[in-house]
Amino acid sequence: MDFYVAKDRDGIGFFKDKPDLVKFSSTDPIVWEGYPVDFGDFTQIRDLVAQHPSVSEMDEYDPPVHLHIDDIIFTVL
């Protein structure tokens, strides 16, 4: 799974593609826009990604970070 993480004044955003920095009007803050990743019920994955140093240490408007998850192990209980 590949996705991008970007940070703006609204916080951390997760995107399926590389987001673009846009501004809609002179009264709205600048935000990253793109196709959002929907983690659904798997919010723990989103939280783990947000805690990764490459993400948690991002400053607002740093270039987006490209992440790849290649192995997640599920156990049937």
Side-chain angles (χ1 to χ4, degrees), residues 4-15 17-24 29-36 58-65:
Y4 291 84
V5 179
K7 186 174 183 180
D8 57 27
R9 288 192 175 192
D10 292 337
I12 296 173
F14 300 88
F15 302 93
D17 60 340
K18 189 170 184 177
D20 296 323
L21 189 61
V22 298
K23 186 173 185 175
F24 289 106
I30 299 170
V31 296
W32 289 103
E33 286 289 320
Y35 296 104
M58 289 177 71
D59 290 325
E60 289 180 1
Y61 308 112
D62 276 352
V65 175

Side-chain angles (χ1 to χ4, degrees), residues 2-75:
D2 283 288
F3 57 95
Y4 291 84
V5 179
K7 186 174 183 180
D8 57 27
R9 288 192 175 192
D10 292 337
I12 296 173
F14 300 88
F15 302 93
K16 294 178 186 178
D17 60 340
K18 189 170 184 177
D20 296 323
L21 189 61
V22 298
K23 186 173 185 175
F24 289 106
S25 74
S26 61
T27 59
D28 292 332
I30 299 170
V31 296
W32 289 103
E33 286 289 320
Y35 296 104
V37 172
D38 181 9
F39 289 98
D41 292 335
F42 297 102
T43 56
Q44 290 176 338
I45 294 172
R46 182 196 64 216
D47 295 343
L48 285 172
V49 170
Q51 293 171 7
H52 191 277
S54 65
V55 175
S56 66
E57 295 173 4
M58 289 177 71
D59 290 325
E60 289 180 1
Y61 308 112
D62 276 352
V65 175
H66 185 185
L67 297 174
H68 175 80
I69 297 175
D70 62 0
D71 190 19
I72 296 177
I73 299 171
F74 292 95
T75 303

